[in-house]
Amino acid sequence: MVERKRLFDDQDTRMLPGNASGLHGEDIISVSQFTTEQLAYIFDVAQEMRGMVERVGGTDLLRGRVLACLFYEPSTRTSASFIAAMERLGGSVIPITQGVQFSSVSKGETLHDTIRTLEQYSDVIVLRHPETGSADIAAAAADVPVINAGDGAGEHPTQALLDLFTIKEELGTLDGLHVAMVGDLRHGRTVHSLTQLLGRYDVRFTFVSPEVLRLPLDYMNQIKDAGKDVRETYNVADVIGNADVLYVTRVQKERFSDLAQYESLKDYYRITPDLMAQAKERAIIMHPLPRVNEIDVRIDTDPRAAYFRQVRNGMYIRMALLAAVLGRA
Ligand code: NCD
C-alpha cells in the first residue's frame, strides 16, 4: 500500500490558541460574568475587528470552525450579525434561525437533546429561546461554549455589550452619564442586561415607563445597592432635556398574556422631532430594534440617532466574542 500523504502540517500555526480574554471555552450567559477588565478587552478587540473589516472585509482567524445558530424566537439582527461575524472571521454557520418548526423540535425533541446533537457538528452554539433560564440548561447540556442570544424576558448579554460599546464609541466615556431607559422595562431583556452593566460605571439612571412596565425589583435593587442615583417617571418630557443617552424600547407584545393590555400600552411613548428638539445637542438616542412606533422615522436623519450605528457595532462585538470563546483572542 502506498503511504498516505498527510493532509495537515503539524507546524501549521493558524490554530495556535490565544486566551488573553480569559473566555476560551466559556459560555456567555449573563453580563454578570464579565469583569470590567474583560469588557475593556472585548471592546479593544471589537475596535480591531472594525479596522480589519473596513480595510479588507474578512480574515481566516476562525477557518474550520462551525457555529450553530439556534433560534426559537424571531430575530433579524442578532442572528444575521452572528452569521456575518462568523463568516467574516472565516468560519461557517449552521443556521437554524427561520425554521425551528421544520426541525426535530416540532417532533417533540427536548432542548437538551437538540443541543447535544448540534454540539456534535459545531464548535460554538448561539441560542435564542422564549424561556428565561434556557441558556443555562443549554450550557449545562453542551461541552462547547453556548452564547445566550436572549432567554425570554431574562437577559441578552451580547446586546448589552454592543450597547455599552456604542455608548463608549459615541460619547467617548461611560462615566458621568445620565442614562434614560424608556418603554417596556419589565419585559425588555436588553434593558435588564444593560442596566446591570452600566451599574458598574458612574452612571445616573432614569427609568421611564408606565406603572405596569416598570423595571423588575431585582434589577432595581441591584443598582440601588451599588449606590446609583435612580429615578422613575412616566413622562419622557421629564428627562429629555438632561439625558445623555435615551435608550428606547418596544413594548414586548409576545410577553403579554392579555393582548388587550398590550394594545392599551403599545403606543404609550413616541419620540418625535418636537421632543428631540428639547434633547441635549450631544445626546444619543439608541434602540435595540426592532422599532414599532416608538421612534418617529423623521429622527433617523438626526445625527444623534445612533440605532443603526449600534446595529453595526453588534457585528464587531460578536466577532470579538466568537474569537474569544474559540480561543483566538
Ligand atoms: C431585542 C430582543 O430580541 O430582545 N432585539 C434584539 O436582539 N436587538 C429587542 C426586542 O425584540 O425588542
Side-chain angles (χ1 to χ4, degrees):
M1 204 170 89
V2 197
E3 201 189 330
R4 191 175 76 79
K5 216 171 138 224
R6 300 215 36 189
L7 295 173
F8 306 106
D9 177 1
D10 283 343
Q11 301 310 311
D12 188 344
T13 53
R14 275 181 332 210
M15 292 299 167
L16 272 188
N19 190 22
S21 66
L23 290 170
H24 186 191
E26 297 292 320
D27 303 305
I28 295 179
I29 305 296
S30 162
V31 290
S32 62
Q33 75 188 75
F34 295 105
T35 65
T36 308
E37 292 70 35
Q38 269 173 331
L39 295 174
Y41 184 87
I42 293 162
F43 293 168
D44 211 42
V45 176
Q47 255 161 353
E48 198 182 340
M49 293 296 184
R50 182 206 300 278
M52 183 280 291
V53 169
E54 286 172 354
R55 277 192 318 277
V56 291
T59 177
D60 66 353
L61 194 73
L62 297 183
R63 189 161 74 200
R65 304 304 183 95
V66 177
L67 160 69
C69 230
L70 178 62
F71 279 61
Y72 291 80
E73 274 190 346
S75 166
T76 301
R77 276 148 293 272
T78 307
S79 57
S81 67
F82 266 112
I83 293 169
M86 194 63 183
E87 295 195 344
R88 285 189 188 271
L89 291 174
S92 47
V93 183
I94 304 169
I96 309 184
T97 50
Q98 305 304 334
V100 170
Q101 70 269 32
F102 301 119
S103 74
S104 283
V105 168
S106 66
K107 301 181 189 165
E109 186 168 60
T110 61
L111 177 62
H112 175 274
D113 285 1
T114 303
I115 292 286
R116 285 299 317 268
T117 300
L118 287 175
E119 73 168 336
Q120 311 304 322
Y121 309 135
S122 61
D123 304 293
V124 52
I125 297 172
V126 172
L127 173 72
R128 169 169 291 185
H129 195 281
E131 278 160 41
T132 307
S134 52
D136 295 281
I137 293 172
D143 283 334
V144 303
V146 169
I147 301 179
N148 180 6
D151 62 327
E155 280 215 48
H156 194 347
T158 66
Q159 177 75 39
L161 257 57
L162 78 89
D163 290 341
L164 198 67
F165 180 67
T166 299
I167 296 172
K168 187 151 180 267
E169 295 285 292
E170 296 277 328
L171 299 177
T173 179
L174 292 169
D175 288 306
L177 300 177
H178 176 198
V179 177
M181 306 265 193
V182 183
D184 187 348
L185 312 183
R186 175 174 172 199
H187 304 109
R189 55 195 174 197
T190 71
V191 170
H192 302 166
S193 289
L194 181 58
T195 300
Q196 286 182 68
L197 270 191
L198 279 169
R200 302 165 179 222
Y201 301 88
D202 174 21
V203 165
R204 177 156 82 82
F205 291 96
T206 304
F207 295 105
V208 188
S209 74
E211 178 68 31
V212 288
L213 299 182
R214 284 170 68 190
L215 186 74
L217 263 184
D218 275 5
Y219 297 113
M220 187 66 89
N221 288 338
Q222 231 182 71
I223 48 173
K224 281 189 178 160
D225 290 349
K228 299 296 153 200
D229 180 346
V230 178
R231 292 182 198 183
E232 288 186 274
T233 173
Y234 307 118
N235 196 347
V236 184
D238 291 346
V239 286
I240 192 98
N242 57 37
D244 300 296
V245 176
L246 203 64
Y247 189 92
V248 184
T249 61
R250 123 190 117 85
V251 179
Q252 309 275 300
K253 183 178 182 182
E254 65 276 34
R255 312 278 176 238
F256 284 78
S257 46
D258 176 1
L259 271 188
Q261 190 186 36
Y262 165 74
E263 289 296 328
S264 71
L265 293 165
K266 71 179 184 2
D267 295 321
Y268 206 94
Y269 297 111
R270 185 171 169 78
I271 311 297
T272 59
D274 280 352
L275 262 177
M276 278 310 280
Q278 301 166 43
K280 283 182 167 181
E281 208 181 314
R282 280 271 290 143
I284 53 168
I285 175 163
M286 297 173 68
H287 193 306
L289 302 178
R291 135 176 84 183
V292 185
N293 285 316
E294 314 78 50
I295 301 180
D296 191 309
V297 291
R298 286 173 293 170
I299 291 172
D300 295 3
T301 50
D302 185 321
R304 294 170 293 183
Y307 30 91
F308 290 110
R309 296 192 289 276
Q310 193 181 343
V311 168
R312 190 162 179 91
N313 287 338
M315 180 173 72
Y316 303 132
I317 285 290
R318 289 169 177 134
M319 289 171 81
L321 289 172
L322 288 170
V325 299
L326 290 171
R328 302 306 314 271

